[in-house]
Each structure stands twice: as structure tokens, then as C-alpha cells.
Amino acid sequence: MDQLLNDFSPGLFFMQVIILIVLLVLLGKFAWKPILKSLDEREEGIQSALDQAEAAKKEMQNLQADNDRLLKEARAERDAMMKEAREIKDKIIADAKDEAKEEASKMIENAKATIKQEQQAAIAELKKKVADLSIGIAETVVKKELASQDEQLKLVEGMLEDVTLN
Amino acid sequence: MIAKKSIKCLAILAIVFSSLNVFAGGGGNSEKGGQINTPEDIKGYIKHHLADSHDFSLYSYTNEAGERKHVGFPLPVIVWTSKGLKTFMSSKFHHNDDGHVVVDAGDVKLAKIHSKIYELNEGVEHVAFDDHHHATNAHKVLDFSITKSVFGMLVAGLLMFLGFGSLAKGYKKGAIPTGVGRVLEPLVLYVRDEIARPNIGEKKYKRFMPYLLTVFFFIWILNLLGLTPIGFNVTGQIAVTICLALFTAVIYLTSGSKDFWAHTLWMPGVPVVLRPILAVIELVGFVLIKPFSLLVRLFANITAGHFVVMSLIALMIVLKKDFGPVASTGMSFVLATFIMVIEVLVAFLQAFIFTMLSALFIGMAVEEHEHDHAH
């Protein structure tokens, strides 16, 4: 301890105090302050850049999600439209078929009616012709009967041969 | 650019060191031709090295004519005597360190004994010694000389100023430092993130950063300079470590928060009878014990390191008789190298511990308890 006290030099202590204060002031002003400030600024810069990157990533994800949603919606809409179109098409075809069927049946009916009418007309005419013919035959027969019986028969036979039922 | 500048600085330093003047002197060892052969000589030599010195000597030798030559340069002596301030170069003492050379500085006579400057009493021509080699007719003077230690501190300060100045300037050009700054920046970050932030706290560490950085690099550079053959022993000077510890103490005592003083002087939560006793213990702890532990740890570690390295180098001389020159040299070389490597680590470690403990004490002083009522 005695040795230590003897070694202690007040002058050196004083010089050290001065040097340390000068160093603190000078380094503080010209080195530490700008260095620490730059370091802080740089770290803040890095932090904000990271934050920005994170935000951009989130934004991208949002956009991607939006895109996906839009795409899905568009796809659904397209599907709906196609379905609708198909339905319309089917309906049109079905309608057309029905109409055609109706038309056809109507035409057939008409035709049938016409045929029936014609048939009846034909039958009527036939009947009339048969009646006329019968009357004619009867007339002739009646006339020939007046001459001879044989003649009458020949006549009838001959006339019947001429007559062809048309 | 910065690299070029630092090369210039190194060149200037090299020129300074190479232009060392050789100045002769009749030193205390002149009767043996300056040779150191006995354990007593070695002890004296180590003691001499550990002490501060008034000139910067690198080595000395004896020439053919038997004259002792010292290589180095003198440093200015600035003393406050009873007749006022006296300044002269230390070469006037001719490397004498036992008071035999008396320098006449105008109206006072000065002598140097064991690296201390004594003023001779009025009318005395020579220093007289008692049995314990204490001067009886002279007294110490206030010595503000640029001693080897002060010179070392100036060198360290200059290095710091150049290095960190260039780092600070480098940031003006871009966020990433170049040159020396690339090495220094991680160290600054280390002090900030490993020492200041965890010990002082995120909110208040900024105010103390300049002090912690300055002290850390100051001690580290001086410790490392002490390991070079130039042979500074600045951080092994008790005055230097006392000054550093005192700065830390003043800083944490002046920046103590209300909570800190409340807890130190009137500890809540303990019986009132015990509070004054605790206050005394706490006060002694903060005012005396903590700074004392700081100053002694640094001083003792560095002094012990220098002592051990020099002792191991001295093995070469001590063991020469028993083992022969080759074996003793080899042994001392291996051991000294080993210890030197450890000393490099210690140089950093002591700077780190001093800064760390300073930060810790500051942290204790500025801490604010958010859970006051719990105590």
C-alpha cells in the first residue's frame, strides 16, 4: 500500500484528467456523435426497408387473393352463362320440335279430312253414277223387255259387259 | 482514400521513431556497464520498467569505449516547484535515476529519484539519503511532465482520433464504412450492443455512449501499446487507473436517478432501524468500493501481466548457468510467447471488464423502478 501511494503521481493524474476530458470532448464531437448517429440512421433505414418489403409482400398477397377471387368469379359467371345458353338452346329445340309436331299433326288431320271429304264425294258420285247407270239399264231393260225376253237378256248382258265400274 | 491516409500516418510515425536521437549518459548502471545479470538487477529492471519514466528509451547498449548509449528521445519535464513552473528536457538528467545528477533550473535544483522529481532544499548541492534510500534534504514536486505514460496516452488519443475520425467521415460518403472503419465499426457496435444496451437500458444508454466508447478504446489501445516492445505501462500506472475509476464514479453518482438515491439512502421495505446502516453500506459501496475495485483490477492485471512477461524473459538470464544458453533461451521464449498470447487476451478483457462494470454501475444508478410499491 505504501508502495502504491508512493507510486501515485498527482501530476500524471492531473495530465490524465486533462487528456481524458479533451479526448471525451473531441471524440464525442467529431467521432462518437456522427458515428452513432450514422449507425442509428442506417439501422432505421434497414428497419424501414424491411418493413416496406413486408408491407409490399402483404400487398402482393392481397392482390393475388383479389386476382384469384376475380378469376373464380369470372369462371363462375362464364359457367352460369354457358349453362343458361345451353338451356335456351334446349328450350328452342324443344319448342321447335313441338311446333313442328303440332303442325305436322294438323297437316295430317287436314289431309285426313280432305281425303275423307274426297272419299265421300267420290262415293256420292259413284252412287249417283251407279244410280244413273241402273236407271239407264233399267230403262233399256224395260225397253227390250218389250220386244222379247231373249233380247232383253242379251241387252242386259251386253250392257253389263260395257259397264265397268270405275 | 482512408487507407492512403492511414499509410501516411504510419509513415510519419515511422519517421518519428527512426529519427530517434542517441544520447549518452552516465546512468545508474554504469558501474556494471549497464548489464543485467543477477536476479537483483532483474528485479530492479522490472521495477524500473513498471514505473513511469521521463524519457522515451527504446534500448541501451555499451559501445567499445565503455560508454553507455541510450536509444530513444527525451521528453519535456514540466514541474511546479516552490519557485514556480519549470520546464526543460529530460535529457538534462542524463538517464540518471538515483538523484546523483542535479539539474539547476534557474533558482531551484532538481534531482530524479526512481522516476520522481525532487526539489532540493535551499542551499543544498547534493541529495542525501537515509538508510532506506529516502531523500532527506529534498521533497517531491508536482510533476506535470510529458512522461512516457502521458506520451503514450497522447499517442493512443491521436490513434483514436485518426481512426474514429476517419470512420465518422466515412459515413458521409455512404452507409457502409471502408478501410479502417470496416474494422472499427464492429467494435463500436460491440460496445453499444453488448456493453451499453444490456447494462444501462434501451432508454438511457445513448447519453453514456461517448464515455464508454472513449474509455473502452483508450484502455484497450494503451493495453496493447503496453505489449509492444516500446514498453508503455500506462494502464499499469495507479494514477491512470484511479483517474479512470474516478471518472466512472463521478458519472454514475451525478446521473443517479431519484429511485437510486432513495434506495441507497433510505432503503424501502426494510425495518427502519436497519435503514441507516444499509445507507452507510450502500454509500461506501458506491463511493469507495466500486471505484476501488475498478481501479485495482485494471492496475493489478496489467502490472502483473508486464511483471510475468518480463520475469519469463529474464529466465533466459537466470537459468543460463544451470541449463546453458540454448535451453534457457528456448524455455523463456516458449513461456513468454505463451503468456504474451494470454496478455493480448487480457488487454482486451480488462478494457471490456472496465467498460462493462462502468456500464453496469451507471445502469444501477439510472435505473428507475416501475414497481415501486412492491418494495
Side-chain angles (χ1 to χ4, degrees):
Chain A
M1 198 63 206
D2 203 31
Q3 174 76 38
L4 272 181
L5 282 178
N6 188 50
D7 277 347
F8 175 76
S9 155
L12 181 60
F13 177 80
F14 178 76
M15 292 303 278
Q16 154 80 341
V17 169
I18 289 178
I19 289 173
L20 202 56
I21 288 174
V22 168
L23 263 183
L24 273 171
V25 170
L26 283 182
L27 281 173
K29 192 160 188 288
F30 294 111
W32 306 135
K33 216 171 141 196
I35 287 173
L36 291 170
K37 207 175 127 237
S38 309
L39 284 175
D40 275 351
E41 271 168 15
R42 195 176 69 189
E43 270 156 24
E44 272 164 29
I46 290 170
Q47 191 56 49
S48 76
L50 282 176
D51 288 349
Q52 271 171 12
E54 190 65 29
K57 204 173 147 196
K58 224 168 241 171
E59 189 94 344
M60 272 292 286
Q61 274 172 351
N62 281 348
L63 270 174
Q64 191 79 32
D66 271 9
N67 274 352
D68 283 354
R69 195 170 49 78
L70 277 173
L71 204 65
K72 222 183 217 167
E73 273 176 13
R75 208 168 274 158
E77 204 166 331
R78 191 199 63 183
D79 286 352
M81 274 163 81
M82 276 179 75
K83 204 177 156 198
E84 206 174 328
R86 208 173 288 135
E87 272 167 9
I88 290 170
K89 183 194 81 178
D90 287 351
K91 195 166 164 262
I92 287 171
I93 290 173
D95 282 0
K97 263 185 186 163
D98 284 356
E99 212 167 313
K101 225 182 234 169
E102 214 169 299
E103 194 84 4
S105 59
K106 214 186 254 174
M107 273 165 82
I108 289 168
E109 217 123 293
N110 280 352
K112 270 184 185 164
T114 315
I115 288 169
K116 214 168 199 169
Q117 232 171 335
E118 296 279 317
Q119 204 178 8
Q120 275 168 353
I123 288 172
E125 203 165 326
L126 192 63
K127 273 180 184 167
K128 201 174 147 208
K129 251 190 181 152
V130 170
D132 285 349
L133 207 56
S134 309
I135 291 166
I137 291 168
E139 216 176 53
T140 324
V141 169
V142 172
K143 271 175 194 169
K144 276 214 178 153
E145 226 170 290
L146 294 170
S148 77
Q149 203 147 353
D150 291 343
E151 290 284 320
Q152 283 176 355
L153 280 172
K154 264 185 200 158
L155 188 71
V156 171
E157 255 169 61
M159 285 193 96
L160 276 172
E161 248 167 272
D162 289 348
V163 174
T164 48
L165 279 168
N166 58 330
Chain B
M1 186 66 195
I2 295 161
K4 241 186 216 166
K5 251 189 210 161
S6 50
I7 288 169
K8 223 189 277 169
C9 293
L10 283 177
I12 290 168
L13 276 180
I15 290 165
V16 166
F17 282 116
S18 61
S19 65
L20 299 166
N21 49 344
V22 178
F23 51 110
N29 294 320
S30 55
E31 63 271 11
K32 290 176 202 162
Q35 287 190 347
I36 291 166
N37 285 325
T38 62
E40 284 74 35
D41 288 342
I42 291 166
K43 228 167 142 183
Y45 187 87
I46 292 175
K47 208 176 148 197
H48 177 79
H49 165 82
L50 289 177
D52 205 356
S53 143
H54 281 82
D55 22 54
F56 197 104
S57 50
L58 290 174
Y59 61 93
S60 53
Y61 63 96
T62 310
N63 64 5
E64 289 100 3
E67 277 179 323
R68 194 74 193 144
K69 293 277 187 189
H70 293 265
V71 177
F73 49 85
L75 293 163
V77 175
I78 306 158
V79 285
W80 182 261
T81 66
S82 58
K83 297 286 190 300
L85 201 68
K86 303 285 171 200
T87 56
F88 52 93
M89 291 308 276
S90 68
S91 49
K92 279 200 175 171
F93 285 117
H94 298 294
H95 293 278
N96 178 278
D97 202 30
D98 53 10
H100 287 307
V101 174
V102 175
V103 172
D104 196 351
D107 39 10
V108 282
K109 293 192 164 55
L110 300 165
K112 187 154 71 84
I113 308 166
H114 293 312
S115 303
K116 299 263 181 260
I117 300 203
Y118 286 76
E119 182 187 341
L120 273 64
N121 293 349
E122 204 99 29
V124 182
E125 291 294 325
H126 295 285
V127 187
F129 296 102
D130 62 9
D131 297 340
H132 300 287
H133 203 75
H134 290 309
T136 51
N137 57 354
H139 57 272
K140 276 190 209 165
V141 288
L142 261 181
D143 183 359
F144 302 118
S145 308
I146 309 297
T147 56
K148 199 173 175 182
S149 292
V150 176
F151 184 75
M153 287 191 264
L154 291 173
V155 169
L158 191 73
L159 285 176
M160 282 167 76
F161 200 68
L162 288 174
F164 293 105
S166 85
L167 175 62
K169 241 183 259 163
Y171 283 117
K172 281 180 191 149
K173 286 177 213 144
I176 311 290
T178 50
V180 206
R182 207 169 283 184
V183 184
L184 297 178
E185 192 203 89
L187 296 169
V188 174
L189 284 175
Y190 180 79
V191 173
R192 192 190 67 176
D193 295 341
E194 304 298 324
I195 298 178
R197 268 186 178 160
N199 289 310
I200 301 178
E202 199 65 40
K203 273 185 231 157
K204 296 187 169 166
Y205 81 95
K206 274 194 179 139
R207 201 147 57 91
F208 304 102
M209 277 306 287
Y211 175 69
L212 294 175
L213 283 166
T214 308
V215 164
F216 177 77
F217 289 108
F218 189 69
I219 297 175
W220 193 20
I221 290 172
L222 285 173
N223 284 350
L224 287 176
L225 280 180
L227 294 178
T228 60
I230 304 167
F232 289 113
N233 182 27
V234 185
T235 36
Q237 299 299 328
I238 192 99
V240 172
T241 61
I242 284 176
C243 172
L244 288 166
L246 213 63
F247 263 71
T248 298
V250 166
I251 285 175
Y252 71 67
L253 288 176
T254 51
S255 54
S257 65
K258 226 186 269 169
D259 275 349
F260 167 71
W261 288 113
H263 279 244
T264 308
L265 299 176
W266 205 244
M267 178 66 90
V270 289
V272 178
V273 192
L274 284 177
R275 288 185 188 187
I277 303 167
L278 268 178
V280 170
I281 293 171
E282 290 274 319
L283 263 186
V284 169
F286 273 105
V287 176
L288 281 178
I289 296 172
K290 285 186 168 78
F292 190 73
S293 76
L294 274 180
L295 79 92
V296 167
R297 185 178 293 109
L298 181 58
F299 165 76
N301 268 288
I302 300 307
T303 306
H306 281 242
F307 193 90
V308 169
V309 169
M310 280 190 292
S311 303
L312 287 174
I313 291 171
L315 273 185
M316 183 166 62
I317 300 159
V318 177
L319 297 181
K320 197 160 77 180
K321 251 184 256 151
D322 300 325
F323 293 91
V326 178
S328 66
T329 307
M331 202 143 79
S332 108
F333 176 76
V334 170
L335 288 172
T337 308
F338 175 67
I339 290 295
M340 204 66 179
V341 171
I342 291 178
E343 281 305 307
V344 172
L345 182 71
V346 168
F348 172 77
L349 208 66
Q350 287 309 316
F352 171 74
I353 289 175
F354 191 96
T355 320
M356 183 81 170
L357 288 176
S358 294
L360 192 74
F361 297 156
I362 292 171
M364 281 174 170
V366 299
E367 192 184 12
E368 270 165 20
H369 299 274
E370 284 161 9
H371 45 88
D372 246 344
H373 306 291
H375 289 290

